[in-house]
Amino acid sequence: MAITLSDFELGWLVGVLEGEGYFEYNGCSQKVTVRMTDEDTVATCALLFAKITGKVAEIVATQPVNAKAQEIYGITICGLSARKVMRAVVPHLHFRRRQ
């Protein structure tokens, strides 16, 4: 069951997606991805995605390519879940990101 986000949660999510989000549309499906080195931020995005979609997104950790790099954490949602998140956040994104 999906839950509506508070204004604060929506604003926070829009800010993260504006800076770190990736939106994809390949003609037959949509995808929203967030990848960064801050695991707690990705976990909060996953929680907010779940509040919007009613589905839990799995956090995937990617090992660094060299010893000096940090581990990268990411979540990806597709299809109907991605469309639900897009409907919630896209109206609040800057013009360039809405394109």
Side-chain angles (χ1 to χ4, degrees), residues 4-21 23 41 44-45 48-49 51-52 85 87-94:
T4 304
L5 300 183
S6 70
D7 288 343
F8 178 83
E9 290 171 323
L10 179 59
W12 185 90
L13 184 59
V14 167
V16 171
L17 293 176
E18 180 81 47
E20 300 291 334
F23 300 89
T41 301
T44 301
C45 286
L48 297 178
F49 283 1
K51 283 180 124 180
I52 294 170
V85 170
R87 276 194 285 276
V89 302
V90 167
H92 306 285
L93 296 174
H94 286 98

Side-chain angles (χ1 to χ4, degrees), residues 31-47 49 56-64 70-78:
K31 188 184 295 187
V32 178
T33 301
V34 176
R35 291 176 39 97
M36 63 177 58
T37 58
D38 298 320
E39 183 179 16
D40 57 337
T41 301
V42 174
T44 301
C45 286
L47 174 68
F49 283 1
V56 177
E58 179 184 358
I59 298 172
V60 177
T62 304
Q63 296 298 317
Q70 293 181 302
E71 196 166 35
I72 298 172
Y73 302 93
I75 53 174
T76 298
I77 57 173
C78 303

Side-chain angles (χ1 to χ4, degrees), residues 18-31:
E18 180 81 47
E20 300 291 334
Y22 176 72
F23 300 89
E24 181 180 353
Y25 177 71
N26 66 10
C28 62
S29 186
Q30 297 76 32
K31 188 184 295 187

